[in-house]
Amino acid sequence: MTSLTPAHAHGLPLWRSLAFALAGAALITIGAKVQIPFWPVPMTLHTLAICLVAAGLGPRLGLAAMTAYLGAGSLGLPVFSGTPERGIGLAYMAGPTGGYLAGFLLATPLIGTLARGRGWLGTASAMIAGLALVYAVGLAWLALFIPAPKLLTAGLTPFLLGDVLKIALAATLISGASRLKGRPA
């Protein structure tokens, strides 16, 4: 007898896939809202959350979570970093940081695919590849708002140290969780 509940990503029932995607979107929202004093700029946990969701849920569910997050933001829910103070909805998404949001959307399935079945180094490498994509798209969009000589200073270099630390932490958490489940990261 077949199940009445359709199976989706990883053979999960629809309701379970939806729950994972919404939980991932909630984790990304929390990551965007948490701000930690750091040098040279304050750091959010946005990148950490996205790396965890992408590597932990895989390419399909990770993309579903990121799509739900961006969908909530486009509807005006204050899910993005700095919202509602710096604007909400599509106006925020079309602003200077909109390219990074698009980069996160593209990087999520990339990280999920590359990290699948990998150990710590493979997972961290997948996250670095995803982050390179985020920066490429983000900086290309930011170039519409900031003069070229100031682009790297405004949109890349202040964030690199924090992102390296977040990737190391995310890869460690994913690898540890995989070991607890009894399978390679």
Side-chain angles (χ1 to χ4, degrees):
M1 177 179 244
T2 61
S3 170
L4 296 177
T5 308
H8 290 276
H10 305 292
L12 297 174
L14 177 61
W15 68 268
R16 194 176 247 176
S17 295
L18 215 54
F20 278 124
L22 292 176
L27 182 64
I28 295 168
T29 300
I30 292 166
K33 295 296 184 176
V34 172
Q35 202 170 71
I36 298 170
F38 196 70
W39 179 87
V41 294
M43 172 175 62
T44 68
L45 299 181
H46 209 192
T47 307
L48 173 70
I50 289 166
C51 286
L52 287 171
V53 166
L57 294 181
R60 286 190 205 140
L61 284 177
L63 181 60
M66 191 67 206
T67 302
Y69 168 74
L70 292 174
S74 72
L75 293 173
L77 295 175
V79 297
F80 303 132
S81 178
T83 58
E85 302 83 17
R86 294 188 311 196
I88 58 170
L90 294 175
Y92 180 92
M93 294 175 83
T97 59
Y100 297 98
L101 295 173
F104 287 143
L105 181 67
L106 297 173
T108 301
L110 176 68
I111 294 168
T113 299
L114 295 177
R116 191 181 311 175
R118 304 288 174 109
W120 186 91
L121 186 59
T123 300
S125 296
M127 292 174 184
I128 289 168
L131 188 60
L133 180 58
V134 170
Y135 278 126
V137 175
L139 289 170
W141 181 258
L142 188 60
L144 300 173
F145 298 89
I146 292 179
K150 297 181 180 181
L151 190 60
L152 295 180
T153 304
L156 176 72
T157 54
F159 308 101
L160 285 177
L161 178 59
D163 282 343
V164 167
L165 293 173
K166 289 180 267 186
I167 285 173
L169 178 59
T172 300
L173 291 170
I174 293 295
S175 293
S178 294
R179 282 192 196 112
L180 287 175
K181 288 174 71 175
R183 61 183 177 135

